[in-house]
Amino acid sequence: MPPVRTIGLPLRVTPDGQLERSEGATAVLRLIQAMVATTAGSWPHARWFGLHERFLAINADVEDQAGLADAMNDALTRLGVDWARVRQVRSVRGPAFGERRFDVVLAVGDEGQPVSASITP
């Protein structure tokens, strides 16, 4: 039996009140968005989960953000997600002055299928 690729967070509730099962990569990207929106002090027992301050403190002139990828991979490992890894995080200037966006590339599954998304802290 192949391993089941699921995570418990984030939960998604449909408009009719039913729980919806997400595809693995989509669930991991939602989880990463939750980590980016969470401050390190929000959960004192799991400060590694909250990455908001780390995203705000990056040097916008540096495109490749290896430190952010390492922090996300550490959090995924601590959460038991061993089937997806953050391959790359790149900072991208947004359309508005001072706006920050990040392109995140995941390697998903045994073959490392790349999946990417943009996130905003």
Side-chain angles (χ1 to χ4, degrees):
M1 183 169 176
V4 178
R5 294 180 179 153
T6 62
I7 56 176
L9 292 173
L11 295 176
R12 182 177 167 105
V13 179
T14 63
D16 62 352
Q18 300 295 311
L19 289 177
E20 181 178 72
R21 185 178 200 145
S22 295
E23 186 265 325
T26 301
V28 172
L29 289 169
R30 286 186 187 140
L31 178 64
I32 288 172
Q33 288 173 333
M35 288 190 287
V36 172
T38 302
T39 62
S42 295
W43 293 352
H45 62 286
R47 297 182 65 81
W48 46 266
F49 184 88
L51 299 176
H52 187 72
E53 295 90 349
R54 290 192 71 164
F55 270 81
L56 293 180
I58 63 100
N59 182 347
D61 293 329
V62 176
E63 188 174 292
D64 189 21
Q65 301 293 333
L68 291 177
D70 292 342
M72 284 189 251
N73 283 326
D74 177 52
L76 291 174
T77 298
R78 291 176 187 235
L79 292 168
V81 178
D82 59 359
W83 49 268
R85 287 285 157 256
V86 176
R87 186 182 289 171
Q88 184 179 41
V89 179
R90 294 176 56 145
S91 59
V92 180
R93 295 194 188 276
F97 178 76
E99 182 181 350
R100 295 181 184 181
R101 247 189 14 193
F102 298 87
D103 289 338
V104 176
V105 179
L106 295 176
V108 178
D110 298 331
E111 292 132 29
Q113 282 290 75
V115 177
S116 61
S118 286
I119 57 173
T120 304

